């Protein structure tokens, strides 16, 4: 058995992302803001699609889950209770010579990796971003940008139980920004100080937690697979006793084979009743759940599948990135799952001749009411195919002069470059069926197949 | 002609929102965090629907718009260029006696409104939230939470033109959080320190700006109307010369008749080339657009329709809120547009008898694959109708014992309480057609109509 290798190197991917409008550096014209990123016109649609797929699978298609959208600024007591104020820190050392700062636990030697200078003793550096709320900068006004969306869920557990009357087991899901003032960042959008989380807190009866932990590990693995990530590029890594976070009794990372190697894509933790118990103690509120089947009161245990939107985007992009020899060139394509592709269909008239344009525009106007569709009439048809390949558009619809005669157009498939010719009346249904995963080679009446090139 | 009056008082609406899980106070169990709000299970779906409707209308259905999703933390130079560092402030006074702080321009007298004490001289208080990036709290590390999403668009103008090859006129749209450290907040989610914006920067050739300004004012008014806000509760208020922001040559507010009176729902501004020009000066980058039709280089003018997600949510909730006498009671319902309603359909079995439950569950399982559907089998059917009315569910599907015999179920409409009975085979199509706005009284084959009560 051979070890899998990363599908793409980071430099290539970053270049494609910037060139084609997936991801730009934040505040680019001012030299960039370290480790913050802006999603461009294609990136924002990819990100929307990832979040939509997650929400659909985890909230809307489930009976046992509701959503929440809590604020980024939260009461400081929340972070005291959660342990973040005291515990959410990394050991920081500074070089006495060049004054660069480093994470002590990531250094191999005991001298500065940059200049070889002597380092200070490590001190704990809290990773929460702090700001002041209200018109005064004083300790009483300090609030923090949340370092995780999870606590917004815990402090609303009681509100949700009371207003939805959900019974255990059930979960609360949330998508939103979180902020961590990391000492070291890097690997493109993999580790940034501002990022977006997709978190579930799944509340179960104590004793049922191990079972649900296993369930969620599998469920989350399946989610990535269903959206096209190859199973061999995913692995499970259970945490050892020594690396468990203070709140967790079990934790497994779903790792993806990123360009820099196997790294965490998502963590699934068994948080027990740690968080609810802390909030009971600090708020004085009774957050026990009343189980009307067994007539018991207890604090539920919590299984937390915690995913990153940005890391997911990076993994989907990496896994989709493909280079193929094609005649004398290399064809670059993103084999994105149709649900994730920013653009579903591109309409390409063979030339800019007026009658062809009008015809193609009419097709485009119809399709875009139902599917995210783009229109491109510049340069050669081959160049335009390549351009759509590179951003992951699953289907191109080519309109040629014969179309004006026979009312048929060509559908060209991204991954295989297969082409089929279909009557315009069947075009939309055919595309929708193909995008929903039905067989490419089921042809509508009057259709025919051939191969590009 | 009579003056319109607000449709609901704020207290009633806040109470409904908390009771039914639309909106909770942030960090509730710790006494709340002033002016921050959490969206509950129904609120998050309402908010998602509003954002989705806005994105669909403004980005996906338009040829001349692309989206963007830029970071909340931005380079300080951005805010220097935009004028926010020096100009984005309110005059602050403090009571020398009780130390409460006030916005000087909102006070009627010159003594403290709370205790009558003497006030300090006003000083300018900058409303941007400040924090420190990287492992050190020093001036060099200061960054700001964006007070508007707009600047993320301006600094990416060149990136977008280069990667999308869009030609003028075209727009860039963005939805995202923004933060303003307001001295005074209030009116529920109307003015909070953390809020979500839906902003468009629409770039046009100078000289075309007045025309496009008028276009966008109408377009945005129509958007609210299409989603159900009554025209008489909307008004346009052009800004006088003296109240124009420093960047705007024209501005009109779309105001809604909120419970506290007419207040800004959205502002549409003609920002001219102010922002791009500032960024050219401060970044040293050439942000001119090359017009390949006229062979000119110029900085485009910008029309900015800037809406708030939270204010929109509040307006949609207010406008939907209805009380109707119904027998001896008051029926409370939210007449939300079907596109905005958090839940589209509720399946209600008449009793919990086992055979009825299995039957109703099967219907529920089918519907929820296509529509956001809930299931409720508690309490009397009348109570359950009222509960769905109160959260704006457009249709209830009632399953009774006759359903087991004739394979038909009852669809009950929220606003009219009309009921029709339809074969189960036609249920999904009928619901989808009705939700898409087709006539309620077009019955499927084998259907019949009657009236509740």
């Amino acid at each position: 058995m051979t070890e899998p290798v990363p599908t793409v190197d980071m430099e290539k991917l970053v270049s494609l992302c910037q060139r084609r409008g997936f991801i730009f550096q934040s505040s680019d014209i001012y030299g960039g803001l370290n480790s913050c990123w802006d999603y461009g016109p294609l990136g924002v649609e990819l990100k929307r699609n990832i979040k939509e797929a997650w929400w659909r699978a985890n909230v809307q298609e489930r009976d046992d889950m509701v959503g929440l959208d809590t604020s980024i600024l939260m009461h400081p007591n929340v972070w005291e209770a959660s342990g973040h104020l005291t515990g959410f820190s990394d050991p920081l050392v500074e070089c006495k010579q060049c004054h660069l700062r480093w994470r002590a636990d990531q250094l191999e030697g005991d001298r500065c990796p940059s200049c070889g200078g002597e380092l200070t003793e490590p001190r704990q550096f809290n990773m929460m971003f702090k700001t002041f709320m209200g018109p005064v900068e004083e300790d009483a006004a300090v609030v923090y940008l949340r370092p995780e969306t999870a606590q917004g869920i815990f402090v609303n557990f009681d509100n949700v139980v009371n207003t939805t009357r959900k019974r255990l087991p059930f979960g609360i899901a949330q998508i939103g920004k979180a902020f961590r003032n990391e000492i070291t960042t890097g690997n493109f959008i993999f580790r940034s100080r501002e990022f977006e989380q997709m978190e579930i807190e799944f509340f179960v009866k104590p004793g049922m937690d191990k079972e649900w932990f296993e369930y969620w590990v599998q469920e989350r693995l399946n989610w990535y697979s269903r959206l096209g990530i190859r199973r061999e590029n995913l692995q499970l890594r259970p945490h050892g006793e020594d690396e468990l976070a203070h709140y967790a009794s079990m934790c497994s990372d779903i790792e993806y084979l990123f360009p820099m190697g196997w790294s965490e894509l998502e963590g699934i933790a068994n948080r027990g009743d740690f968080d609810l118990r802390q909030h009971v103690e600090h708020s004085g509120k009774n957050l026990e759940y009343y189980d009307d089947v067994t007539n018991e009161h207890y604090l539920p245990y919590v299984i937390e599948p915690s995913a990153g939107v940005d890391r997911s985007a990076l993994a989907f992009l990496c896994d989709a990135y493909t280079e193929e020899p094609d005649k004398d060139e290399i064809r670059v394509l993103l084999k994105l799952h149709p649900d994730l592709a920013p653009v579903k269909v591109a309409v390409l008239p063979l030339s800019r001749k007026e009658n062809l344009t009008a015809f193609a525009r009419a097709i485009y106007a119809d399709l875009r009411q139902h599917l995210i569709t783009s229109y491109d009439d510049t340069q050669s048809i081959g160049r335009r195919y390549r351009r759509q390949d590179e951003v992951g558009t699953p289907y191109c619809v080519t309109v040629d002069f014969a179309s004006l005669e026979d009312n048929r157009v060509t559908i060209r498939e991204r991954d295989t470059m297969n082409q089929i010719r279909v009557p315009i009346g069947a075009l939309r249904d055919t595309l929708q069926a193909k995008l929903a995963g039905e067989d490419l080679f089921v042809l509508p009446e009057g259709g025919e197949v051939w191969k590009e090139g």
Side-chain angles (χ1 to χ4, degrees), chain A:
Chain A
M1 221 180 106
T2 53
E3 276 291 298
V5 292
T7 48
V8 56
D9 70 64
M10 195 67 102
E11 211 176 314
K12 258 186 196 166
L13 191 74
V14 172
S15 157
L16 185 151
C17 284
Q18 293 184 339
R19 192 172 71 248
R20 299 308 311 277
F22 278 94
I23 299 163
F24 308 121
Q25 198 168 11
S26 171
S27 307
D28 206 4
I29 59 172
Y30 292 101
L33 184 64
N34 183 18
S35 91
C36 287
W37 302 93
D38 293 346
Y39 286 77
L42 291 174
V44 65
E45 300 294 347
L46 172 64
K47 204 175 161 197
R48 281 170 49 82
N49 292 342
I50 291 170
K51 292 191 277 185
E52 187 59 30
W54 188 89
W55 194 263
R56 203 168 49 237
N58 291 300
V59 182
Q60 297 181 337
E61 289 180 359
R62 296 184 70 104
D63 252 347
D64 56 359
M65 191 86 74
V66 297
L68 208 58
D69 183 10
T70 69
S71 65
I72 289 170
L73 301 174
M74 292 180 76
H75 199 292
N77 289 5
V78 173
W79 308 113
E80 197 184 316
S82 69
H84 283 81
L85 262 182
T86 49
F88 193 64
S89 53
D90 277 337
L92 173 73
V93 292
E94 184 174 328
C95 173
K96 292 179 180 174
Q97 199 164 300
C98 74
H99 298 289
L100 281 178
R101 290 179 165 83
W102 308 92
R103 256 181 73 173
D105 57 337
Q106 290 180 338
L107 295 181
E108 309 233 321
D110 53 4
R111 301 191 78 84
C112 174
S114 172
C115 76
E118 196 189 340
L119 299 171
T120 59
E121 283 298 299
R123 65 177 177 90
Q124 288 302 311
F125 172 74
N126 194 295
M127 284 189 288
M128 287 199 291
F129 280 97
K130 159 171 123 177
T131 187
F132 303 95
M133 178 169 273
V136 55
E137 284 184 19
E138 59 184 27
D139 287 352
V142 166
V143 294
Y144 297 92
L145 308 194
R146 63 181 177 200
E148 61 176 26
T149 63
Q151 297 303 325
I153 295 177
F154 292 122
V155 299
N156 276 297
F157 172 70
D158 207 39
N159 277 334
V160 171
V161 170
N162 290 335
T163 57
T164 66
R165 302 172 306 153
K166 282 273 170 207
R167 318 308 300 153
L168 292 190
F170 81 92
I172 305 177
Q174 170 159 243
I175 300 178
K177 286 277 175 90
F179 297 80
R180 295 181 185 178
N181 204 357
E182 304 276 357
I183 297 172
T184 52
T185 59
N187 289 320
F188 196 28
I189 54 174
F190 179 79
R191 188 183 303 281
S192 50
R193 293 187 173 122
E194 173 178 342
F195 58 104
E196 199 158 4
Q197 293 188 304
M198 306 185 283
E199 292 199 308
I200 294 167
E201 306 303 325
F202 199 80
F203 299 91
V204 305
K205 187 172 180 179
M208 301 294 286
D209 47 314
K210 285 184 187 65
E211 206 171 298
W212 278 104
F213 177 82
E214 295 306 331
Y215 167 85
W216 277 109
V217 167
Q218 285 311 315
E219 177 60 28
R220 295 300 304 145
L221 265 176
N222 293 344
W223 185 79
Y224 292 105
S225 296
R226 282 201 304 274
L227 287 170
I229 294 202
R230 279 161 284 185
R231 191 60 185 79
E232 67 264 29
N233 289 335
L234 292 169
Q235 73 180 17
L236 265 181
R237 196 182 65 78
H239 284 208
E241 288 274 322
D242 55 328
E243 58 174 335
L244 284 173
H246 61 283
Y247 53 74
S249 65
M250 302 165 79
C251 188
S252 278
D253 285 349
I254 296 177
E255 294 190 333
Y256 177 75
L257 186 54
F258 286 102
M260 63 285 189
W262 290 105
S263 309
E264 182 192 347
L265 176 57
E266 169 158 355
I268 295 112
N270 182 347
R271 294 179 82 127
D273 62 5
F274 175 84
D275 301 273
L276 287 179
R277 188 168 296 282
Q278 289 292 110
H279 286 302
V280 167
E281 274 172 33
H282 283 77
S283 72
K285 296 276 191 302
N286 179 6
L287 302 180
E288 279 186 339
Y289 171 80
Y290 171 63
D291 188 327
D292 54 10
V293 178
T294 62
N295 199 21
E296 293 170 286
H297 294 267
Y298 53 81
L299 286 178
Y301 275 23
V302 179
I303 308 302
E304 175 190 80
S306 173
V309 178
D310 312 87
R311 285 186 185 187
S312 296
L314 185 59
F316 286 121
L317 284 168
C318 288
D319 222 70
Y321 187 94
T322 311
E323 294 186 358
E324 283 180 0
D326 179 45
K327 291 166 207 154
D328 299 338
E329 295 186 330
I330 299 290
R331 181 170 87 109
V332 174
L333 68 161
L334 291 183
K335 292 186 175 177
L336 288 170
H337 188 285
D339 287 357
L340 300 184
V343 176
K344 312 300 182 193
V345 181
V347 174
L348 314 175
L350 203 64
S351 93
R352 285 184 175 180
K353 283 268 163 52
E354 205 172 302
N355 52 350
L356 207 55
T357 298
F359 196 83
R361 279 267 166 202
I363 291 170
Y364 169 60
D366 175 63
L367 287 179
R368 72 201 310 273
Q369 290 175 44
H370 309 276
L371 297 165
I372 310 289
T373 308
S374 75
Y375 184 92
D376 186 4
D377 62 3
T378 60
Q379 301 184 303
S380 77
I381 191 72
R383 291 286 290 273
R384 281 181 277 161
Y385 283 151
R386 294 298 176 275
R387 209 147 58 208
Q388 296 299 334
D389 289 342
E390 208 184 35
V391 300
T393 307
Y395 298 103
C396 291
V397 171
T398 316
V399 184
D400 57 28
F401 290 100
S403 303
L404 299 175
E405 307 296 323
D406 67 1
N407 253 319
R408 300 201 297 169
V409 291
T410 302
I411 299 176
R412 183 260 196 189
E413 207 231 17
R414 177 194 67 200
D415 296 353
T416 60
M417 295 193 283
N418 283 335
Q419 304 194 353
I420 61 174
R421 201 160 167 91
V422 302
I424 286 170
L427 178 62
R428 194 219 304 168
D429 284 351
T430 307
L431 287 168
Q432 284 180 324
K434 287 183 190 311
L435 287 164
E438 294 172 31
D439 187 352
L440 176 74
F441 292 104
V442 177
L443 279 175
E445 203 180 331
E448 51 180 299
V449 184
W450 70 90
K451 191 87 182 164
E452 185 177 337

